[in-house]
Amino acid sequence: MSSTPEIPRVVVIGAGIVGCSLADELTARGWTDITVLEQGPLPAPGGSTSHAPGLVFQTNSSKTLTALARYTVEKFTSLDVDGVSCFHQVGGLELATTPDRLAELHRRAGYAASWGVRGEIVSAARCKELWPLIDESLVLGGFHTPDDGLARALLASRAQMARACARGARFLERHTVTGIEREDGRVTGVVTDRGTFPADHVVSAAGFWGPVIGRMAGIDVPLQPLAHQYARTGPLPELSGATAEASKPILRFQDRDLYFREHTDRIGIGSYAHRPLPVDPFAVPPYDEARARNMDMPSSYPFTQEDWAPSWADCRQLMPTLRDAEIEAGFNGVFSFTPDGMPVLGESRRLRGFWLAEAVWVTHSAGVAKAVAEWMVDGRPSIDLHECDLTRFEEAQRSPSYVLERGAQQFVEVYDVIHPLQPMERPRPLRVSPFHARQQQLGAYFLEGGGWERPHWYEANAPLVDALGPLPARDAWSARHWSPVAAAEAKATREGVALYDMTPLRRLEVTGPGSLDFLDRMTSNNLRKKPGAVTYSLLLDASGGIRSDLTVARLAPDRFQVGANSPADLDWLLRHAPADVHIRDITSGTCCVGVWGPLARDLVQPLTPDDFSHEAFGYFRARETYIGHVPVTAMRLSYVGELGWELYTTADLGLRLWDTLWDAGRELGVIAAGRSAFNSLRLEKGYRAWGVDMTDEHDPFEAGVGFAVRMDRDDFVGKAALAGKGEAPRRLTPLLLDDPAAVVLGKEPVYVDGLPAGYVTSASYGYTLGRCVAYAWLPAGLPTGTGVHIEYVGEKVPATVADEPLFDPKMTRIRR
């Protein structure tokens, strides 16, 4: 980060709940020169905060979103205005009216236990006690979370505004931003219709106006505003005499895309059941113009009665008392969606000092503000935000049409039961490898990641299943997006040879006279090796947290190929690269085939003029050679624990490479194998997946990748922090499920001595081992053989702490 004055000048655009929370968090950390600009009147400027119904359900399948919500509840509970608390902790209740939903609530209860939220599955009778107005006969059960409740968003905005002002911040209403000033790639100020405000940092917290502000800064903001129906009944006899704003838990009826909350003697109802209603952020009227159009505020569009009718029928079915009620008022409230449903946070590399805090709902507002304030002041947030990082989207995922289509689908699916592997249906296919046509011919079952079509198994291998013998039966949930063919592909990889499409893995080319010094400083392992060496290394932050893991191949003295994880890796390296280092993403112009299995050498050796023996081409080595007519960069690596190579070539030659390997491998019984088998094989070897098993919340030693850290060499990013760390209280721990038929999928809570002690990161059935393998963050020091329990859909599944690697601990299969 560039040097700024001792107390930086910060301009926050937007005085909704996020802007007010951020001003409070920044001033609490000593950054007191804060100006918050708002185009509307204060304290209710007319954005999403002004109409938000305030429901806060903390539990989410995302650990990050849950942490952000937990802090929001904690903070708002501690705030009040004139003796009125900013959070009304009435609890939350989610209803199940179908068996699938009840199973989903059990999974949600598991997330709650994993992430530290109080919650329990309750009976239909208990649901009726908590919400007497519901028809108990429709309900199978519920998920009750006593610490959830109602955020009084405008009160919380006022309370935080007052605290920030007391520390030196100022809030200016009726200031419409018209431009962002910049110089030499850094933000310098904000232009409004009432003057210009110099700034060292500018934060866009403009809500659904985020794309408008982003365009002024030359930054695309992948955010789509959509309108969402909210209605309020007239007074209900059953609630007559009520004096409190609410006394019952906030209620979700997700099977019909509905939620409910009390407004004293009335009920407010929100619906996601209607068609998506996208809103152009560039066409949203300013506050006064909205009022002139008979809109309460810019974020409050006219109620569309035709969209409401089906939801009103569902409401009346759930709550018979509503059959005699009428809707007193309603509106279509505008708020933000992104292609993956997560916020968009962080500092732009293209315009330093310009930050985004966008697509944030009230539920996560204070948590997001705290994390962004830490990021700005301390250089890093205290929790992992990779799911929210503005750099996470691929270029192919940033087009306006993509953002619109995926954002609308996020709206449709907001209450749907979504399997962790379930992809969006459109737009697909978007990105395909050069082998796509061949994969289709082999009956590939494609799932999506990063816009790429990724084969998970091939129906062409179905005949191999017969030779396996009986496989354990799977429940309906774990059987989704799975096939017994994956077991056959794993076996074929262990016993013969298989081709894996590794094209979607990110590849960076780093060149220039300073490239070695740069990569050596930025990563944790020793890269000062002769050309031809491949090194597994880590990108750490200054606190020693794992930002990513890399494979770094030195192909020439000043040329490296880096295997990375996400666009954030490229962004991080570009932020720090000196002028004599050049970095470019070569993923789209190249492709990769993994050739793995004990017969891998038998396949590739006859096709190349080079010696591929173990003595001539050792493990973690690379060379540029030919496979048939195709020039390739061959790397002796294996993520599945078997002999083999990753073979890289240009995209135009990819199909020829695949066909060459396929034709030559027929007499060896070569198969194509997918990511389902791949994940099973890598977990049997204990190979970590960044972003799942480890993030920047973890250091290398507790994550079990300390071997990739060379503390005895020159300084590198994170070294000082690691040197000062004591014994970690937790470890990434391998578990084997005791029952050969049991399966877990990830994110389940793990119980030690009957108490929740951690959570599963990755899990997959280990077909070689005949047991499901799960990795989990658990207290350090649990000896091998310790019995634990994993909660899977409400059932406690026994498992045992194991030694790793579980398969081929002496690495004899790879090094031969």
Side-chain angles (χ1 to χ4, degrees), residues 110-111 113-116 730-731 735 747-752 755-761 775-779 782 789-791:
Y111 300 145
S114 291
W115 316 143
R730 61 186 178 180
R731 291 282 298 183
L735 305 173
K747 300 187 179 181
E748 297 89 355
V750 182
Y751 292 78
V752 178
L755 298 174
Y759 59 91
V760 174
T761 58
Y775 271 76
W777 281 103
L778 291 173
L782 292 178
H789 287 85
I790 303 172
E791 185 176 331

Side-chain angles (χ1 to χ4, degrees), residues 15 18-19 43 62 76 108 121 214 273 295 387 418-419 429 462 469 529 533 549 588 607 677 684 745 752-753 800:
V18 178
S62 164
F76 288 1
R108 289 181 59 75
I121 298 297
M295 297 165 60
E387 293 177 310
I418 304 294
H419 192 277
K529 303 171 183 176
D549 63 342
S588 297
L607 301 174
E684 289 183 332
L745 299 180
V752 178
D753 296 329
T800 302

Side-chain angles (χ1 to χ4, degrees), residues 10-15 18-20 22-23 26 34-38 170-171 177 190 199 201-206 376:
V10 180
V11 174
V12 178
I13 301 172
V18 178
C20 292
L22 181 58
L26 286 172
I34 310 292
T35 300
V36 183
L37 302 174
E38 174 53 58
R170 58 177 176 165
F171 286 72
V177 174
V190 177
H201 297 273
V202 173
V203 185
S204 176
M376 296 175 71

Side-chain angles (χ1 to χ4, degrees), residues 590-606:
T590 56
C591 60
C592 178
V593 182
V595 184
W596 290 311
L599 300 181
R601 184 175 287 116
D602 298 287
L603 173 54
V604 298
Q605 183 62 85

Side-chain angles (χ1 to χ4, degrees), residues 280-577:
D280 181 357
F282 295 89
V284 175
Y287 189 90
D288 292 329
E289 184 180 331
R291 300 284 287 183
R293 295 187 192 178
N294 294 319
M295 297 165 60
D296 288 339
M297 61 189 79
S299 62
S300 178
Y301 277 56
F303 194 65
T304 49
Q305 187 65 44
E306 65 276 16
D307 292 308
W308 176 251
S311 290
W312 187 227
D314 290 330
C315 294
R316 288 171 156 176
Q317 183 181 21
L318 179 68
M319 298 185 190
T321 188
L322 298 181
R323 292 168 188 169
D324 298 323
E326 297 296 333
I327 294 300
E328 183 177 74
F331 65 96
N332 290 0
V334 182
F335 62 134
S336 304
F337 285 82
T338 59
D340 60 3
M342 301 293 286
V344 181
L345 311 177
E347 183 193 21
S348 168
R349 176 177 50 82
R350 292 185 174 90
L351 184 59
R352 299 295 182 92
F354 183 80
W355 295 77
L356 295 179
E358 297 291 9
V360 181
W361 293 7
V362 171
T363 299
H364 312 108
S365 55
V368 162
K370 176 177 181 282
V372 172
E374 291 171 337
W375 209 342
M376 296 175 71
V377 175
D378 304 327
R380 72 184 298 272
S382 58
I383 66 170
D384 166 46
L385 290 181
H386 83 271
E387 293 177 310
C388 309
D389 195 303
L390 63 87
T391 64
R392 69 187 182 273
F393 295 110
E394 304 283 348
E395 284 299 314
Q397 297 172 310
R398 290 181 171 272
S399 70
S401 59
Y402 184 94
V403 173
L404 170 60
E405 194 163 2
R406 287 289 169 102
Q409 191 63 24
Q410 287 291 337
F411 178 92
V412 169
E413 295 180 353
V414 72
Y415 279 168
D416 287 0
V417 176
I418 304 294
H419 192 277
L421 292 176
Q422 182 175 325
M424 289 273 187
E425 294 180 1
R426 299 180 306 275
R428 290 180 63 196
L430 184 64
R431 307 176 78 188
V432 298
S433 80
F435 324 128
H436 186 69
R438 298 292 184 265
Q439 293 165 344
Q440 288 179 308
Q441 293 166 4
L442 293 171
Y445 183 87
F446 291 102
L447 297 177
E448 186 200 35
W452 289 99
E453 295 296 319
R454 300 184 177 199
H456 274 242
W457 67 84
Y458 296 85
E459 285 300 323
N461 296 323
L464 301 178
V465 174
D466 294 338
L468 295 177
L471 290 171
R474 290 203 171 205
D475 67 282
W477 186 250
S478 64
R480 288 193 195 180
H481 306 294
W482 173 85
S483 168
V485 173
E489 292 176 359
K491 184 174 188 290
T493 306
R494 290 277 189 242
E495 297 179 356
V497 61
L499 305 185
Y500 287 82
D501 180 3
M502 306 302 290
T503 300
L505 300 185
R506 184 166 304 277
R507 292 172 291 285
L508 310 177
E509 182 183 72
V510 182
T511 58
S515 54
L516 175 59
D517 290 341
F518 168 67
L519 288 172
D520 203 46
R521 183 178 72 255
M522 294 299 296
T523 66
S524 63
N525 213 334
N526 175 30
L527 303 185
R528 296 187 179 279
K529 303 171 183 176
K530 294 179 181 180
V534 183
T535 306
Y536 177 79
S537 194
L538 305 172
L539 280 182
L540 305 178
D541 61 25
S543 298
I546 305 170
R547 286 190 55 92
S548 189
D549 63 342
L550 312 174
T551 53
V552 183
R554 191 178 189 187
L555 302 180
D558 294 337
R559 180 165 62 92
F560 295 81
Q561 181 172 309
V562 178
N565 284 295
S566 76
D569 296 344
L570 173 63
D571 185 85
W572 177 257
L573 292 173
L574 287 171
R575 284 174 186 269
H576 294 87

